[in-house]
Structure formats: C-alpha cells, structure tokens
Amino acid sequence: MTNKIKLIWQSFESLTKDQLYDILNLRQKVFIIEQDCFYEDIDYFDQKAHHLLVYCNKSLIGYARVFPPGIKYKSSSIGRIVVDKKYRGESFGKKITQEAIIFLKEKFINSSEIVLNNIKKNIMEKLKALLCICLYYITFKKICFGSCKYCKL
C-alpha cells in the first residue's frame, strides 16, 4: 500500500474538531512529553494562525502554524514546526518549512521569524541553509520560555 501524503492549509475557523484534536495531540506528544518540556502549548494564538497539517493516509504526521505580521512578532512568523517521531528522517520537516515560507511569501511579502525549541545543531545548520536559499535574512538568538530553550531565527 502506498502512503498518501496530503498537505492542508486551514484557518482556525475552518479546522474540524478532529483536525484540532490531531494538532493538539501531536504537539503535546512531541513538545511536552517527548522533549520533556512543560509549557502552556494552548496559548490562545492558534485562533489567529494559519495551520499547515500534513497527513499520511489519515494520520497527522506533521504540522506548523504561521502568523501575519504583528500577531506574535513584528514580522510574520512560523512556529510549532513538528514531525511525528515515526516519520523523521524523511525530509518532512524541510517540506513543512518550505511550504510555510512559500505561504508567507505569497500572503505577507516581508521577512519572517521562526522559533524552534530544543533543536539539534545539525538540523539548525540545514534549516539555516534552506532559509538562505529562500533569501531570508537570518539572525540566531537563544530565548527561554519557562523551562524550554528555544532558538529564534
């Protein structure tokens, strides 16, 4: 059986209850449980975000949320980039990031910020290279929310 990968963009209002539950479940599983990082994931910014859902067959395997300028940061931003553990190493993180960048360029032509948590150095370098190819000006700064370490690009 061939795995069918589907990328879906949704506003908060257009998310189904099942999609919202899938998103919250994946984010909790990775960001809070797997990364052992206790923070308030439900931050009331989801309502203002555009959501990229990546499904393999009927399972949510990846996700990101993006914001127009002035919501989270001065510029538009990409955050909560996540790939289910079972699907890592297959370039889904890169694909999600590329799709989010394209979306922001089409909707809000300006620079964007990406906030990453607990990222490995080799992934950081690959992401920096990808963003440079996309003609983004990149700055790197470690910031902290609660007990979690984040990188702001």
Side-chain angles (χ1 to χ4, degrees):
M1 183 173 142
T2 305
N3 289 334
K4 184 178 178 186
I5 305 299
K6 189 174 181 182
L7 282 75
I8 305 167
W9 278 104
Q10 299 279 52
S11 67
F12 184 80
E13 294 79 19
S14 64
L15 289 170
T16 67
K17 290 176 186 175
D18 287 338
Q19 288 172 330
L20 180 59
Y21 200 81
D22 289 345
I23 292 166
L24 297 176
N25 178 265
L26 180 60
R27 290 183 352 195
Q28 175 181 296
K29 190 166 49 172
V30 174
F31 296 137
I32 298 171
I33 297 169
E34 180 186 325
Q35 295 180 356
D36 194 26
C37 181
F38 298 98
Y39 72 103
E40 289 185 352
D41 179 52
I42 301 173
D43 59 5
Y44 292 94
F45 280 104
D46 286 319
Q47 292 90 327
K48 299 174 185 171
H50 299 275
H51 303 271
L52 174 59
L53 294 78
V54 181
Y55 281 93
C56 179
N57 299 320
K58 294 186 178 186
S59 297
L60 183 69
I61 65 163
Y63 169 83
R65 69 180 186 180
V66 301
F67 295 97
I71 302 295
K72 293 272 297 180
Y73 304 101
K74 184 177 177 181
S75 63
S76 55
S77 62
I78 305 169
R80 301 289 204 271
I81 301 168
V82 61
V83 175
D84 188 285
K85 192 173 190 173
K86 293 180 275 188
Y87 293 89
R88 293 185 197 148
E90 299 181 37
S91 298
F92 286 114
K94 180 178 180 180
K95 180 68 174 165
I96 291 168
T97 304
Q98 288 172 328
E99 288 295 319
I101 290 168
I102 291 166
F103 181 89
L104 288 178
K105 281 186 170 185
E106 290 175 356
K107 298 278 185 185
F108 320 106
I109 303 172
N110 73 339
S111 66
S112 297
E113 295 181 334
I114 301 175
V115 177
L116 309 162
N117 68 319
N118 296 334
I119 192 155
K120 295 179 181 174
K121 189 172 182 162
N122 64 330
I123 295 173
M124 176 64 71
E125 295 308 317
K126 288 178 186 176
L127 186 55
K128 282 183 178 181
L130 170 65
L131 294 172
C132 285
I133 291 168
C134 294
L135 303 176
Y136 274 73
Y137 175 74
I138 299 169
T139 57
F140 176 78
K141 178 177 152 187
K142 287 187 180 179
I143 56 178
C144 189
F145 297 114
S147 63
C148 307
K149 293 178 183 163
Y150 288 79
C151 301
K152 183 176 175 182
L153 300 181

